[in-house]
Amino acid sequence: MHSQLSPTPFLPTRAVIRSIIPMSTDNYLFQFRIDEPGDLVNCAPGQFVQLWIPGAGEAPISVCSGEIDGVLELCVRKTGRVTDALFNLNEGDWVGIRGPYGTGFPVDEYRGKDLVLIAGGLGIAPVRSLLQYVLNHREEFGKLTLIYGMRHSQQLLFRQELKVLLRRQDMHVYIAAEEVVGPDLPSVSWQLGRVTDMIKLAEIDEGFLSAICGPPVMYKFVVAELLKKGLKDNNIWLSLERHMKCAVGKCGHCFVGGTFTCREGPVFRMDTLRFLPEVIECS
Ligand SMILES: Cc1cc2nc3c(=O)[nH]c(=O)nc-3n(C[C@H](O)[C@H](O)[C@H](O)COP(=O)(O)OP(=O)(O)OC[C@H]3O[C@@H](n4cnc5c(N)ncnc54)[C@H](O)[C@@H]3O)c2cc1C
Ligand code: FES
């Protein structure tokens, strides 16, 4: 499932914006049509691409779609130079995309096992690519639980998709916010609290494997709860974001604890991170 680097890793391919779907005030889902996807067709859930906006620069963005068949989806937060420039574009405009890069989630290890996917905030973007993959091959996986948390209910992304998921009989979905407000609440079964509270509630045992992506502050607490449920370090995978520039192990921007996170990450297994205390705070 893991793809090889393109023989021309610095060369972006042209991607035309097919549609722009607002998800919240500062998070939009961009769907791109890519006529020459190259290695992108072999993209594994959890990998990322380098998004290039001419005149603005490049930024790493997680692939958000399960399998890429001419259309690539990226869920982007407007946060700085490159993402601001993307938000100024319209349908029909083009950008450059190179990749995919990094390690993805270990789909082959997950196959046949019970799975808990845990996302905090925008961490839902790479988790969604794995979720879509699992749902497209549902009979190949065991029990499936999705836990998705955010600070405020208005930050919920993929609202319509989650409503559909909540009705499925073959998975459990927990959606948690620390603050739930608003007259326009959809028929989403909100839980008040954090993802860690949802892990306590969920029927997860030592047989589960996990995939986690969220803000760095979340990891220590999520891992601690999973360990209490009986999971071992080698059943826990986390996707980590570091500052990146080249994405191919050349510039050193992402180098931490002797590791190029652009090449050896962003997805790491927890037992390997125990030896990289600078990457996340391990208890
Ligand atoms: C593997 C990976 C996957 C990612 N996936 C996604 C994704 O799916 N969606 C998404 O939206 N983002 C994602 N990101 C994050 C995204 O790459 C960063 O937010 C990126 O910096 C955006 O680029 P920008 O040019 O728009 O913002 P920048 O201009 O780089 O600004 C980003 C933030 O850094 C601050 N900043 C900029 N320059 C400085 C400085 N000199 N000193 C201090 N602060 C500064 C800005 O104020 C802003 O808050 C991912 C990152 C990685 C590494
Ligand atoms: S981003 Fe350049 S070495 Fe990793």
Side-chain angles (χ1 to χ4, degrees):
M1 198 56 213
H2 290 268
S3 64
Q4 301 296 313
L5 281 182
S6 153
T8 51
F10 293 106
L11 197 64
T13 190
R14 192 179 161 99
V16 177
I17 301 177
R18 203 176 78 155
S19 55
I20 302 173
I21 305 164
M23 301 259 119
S24 68
T25 43
D26 54 357
N27 287 273
Y28 287 6
L29 183 72
F30 292 84
Q31 293 180 321
F32 299 94
R33 197 192 71 236
I34 302 185
D35 294 332
E36 292 180 30
D39 282 351
L40 284 167
V41 291
N42 299 318
C43 186
Q47 286 192 295
F48 67 95
V49 294
Q50 286 288 95
L51 166 74
W52 171 54
I53 311 285
E58 278 193 321
I61 302 290
S62 302
V63 171
C64 187
S65 29
E67 278 149 299
I68 297 167
D69 183 17
V71 177
L72 168 73
E73 291 183 318
L74 302 178
C75 184
V76 181
R77 175 167 298 162
K78 189 176 187 308
T79 186
R81 194 173 152 86
V82 175
T83 49
D84 285 356
L86 178 67
F87 274 64
N88 285 333
L89 298 180
N90 298 305
E91 290 170 4
D93 290 338
W94 66 272
V95 302
I97 297 281
R98 64 183 173 94
Y101 296 121
T103 52
F105 291 109
V107 171
D108 291 335
E109 290 202 47
Y110 287 155
R111 215 177 297 280
K113 306 283 185 3
D114 297 338
L115 275 182
V116 54
L117 315 186
I118 302 171
L122 188 53
I124 192 69
V127 167
R128 177 180 180 256
S129 70
L130 176 59
L131 178 65
Q132 284 194 349
Y133 182 90
V134 173
L135 293 177
N136 289 345
H137 304 266
R138 186 65 191 92
E139 68 294 345
E140 296 174 20
F141 297 86
K143 292 179 195 158
L144 178 61
T145 297
L146 171 68
I147 297 175
Y148 172 28
M150 64 224 70
R151 197 158 292 155
H152 197 287
S153 58
Q154 284 167 346
Q155 295 165 333
L156 180 74
L157 307 176
F158 302 105
R159 192 171 286 242
Q160 298 307 327
E161 286 178 27
L162 286 161
K163 280 205 252 178
V164 175
L165 293 181
L166 280 159
R167 286 199 291 270
R168 285 182 75 121
Q169 301 296 312
D170 60 352
M171 68 181 292
H172 289 104
V173 180
Y174 298 84
I175 305 175
E178 288 167 53
E179 208 182 327
V180 178
V181 293
D184 66 336
L185 270 189
S187 55
V188 165
S189 337
W190 286 99
Q191 308 267 3
L192 205 57
R194 298 179 170 176
V195 285
T196 41
D197 300 315
M198 299 308 109
I199 298 171
K200 286 180 192 144
L201 273 184
E203 286 178 31
I204 303 167
D205 58 37
E206 68 280 359
F208 274 67
L209 304 188
S210 68
I212 310 167
C213 188
V217 63
M218 188 184 96
Y219 288 108
K220 179 182 170 186
F221 301 103
V222 165
V223 169
E225 284 307 324
L226 289 176
L227 295 178
K228 281 188 210 159
K229 288 278 184 176
L231 276 76
K232 301 280 181 295
D233 275 357
N234 60 359
N235 294 337
I236 299 172
W237 282 265
L238 315 107
S239 178
L240 301 178
E241 283 187 13
R242 311 292 304 184
H243 281 297
M244 292 183 190
K245 263 213 165 5
C246 71
V248 291
K250 297 287 180 211
C251 72
H253 268 78
C254 69
F255 192 74
V256 59
T259 299
F260 290 99
T261 49
C262 66
R263 287 186 74 121
E264 289 160 59
V267 176
F268 292 92
R269 206 174 64 187
M270 188 57 208
D271 51 342
T272 63
L273 288 179
R274 295 275 179 208
F275 302 100
L276 296 172
E278 309 93 328
V279 178
I280 65 166
E281 201 183 327
C282 302
S283 52

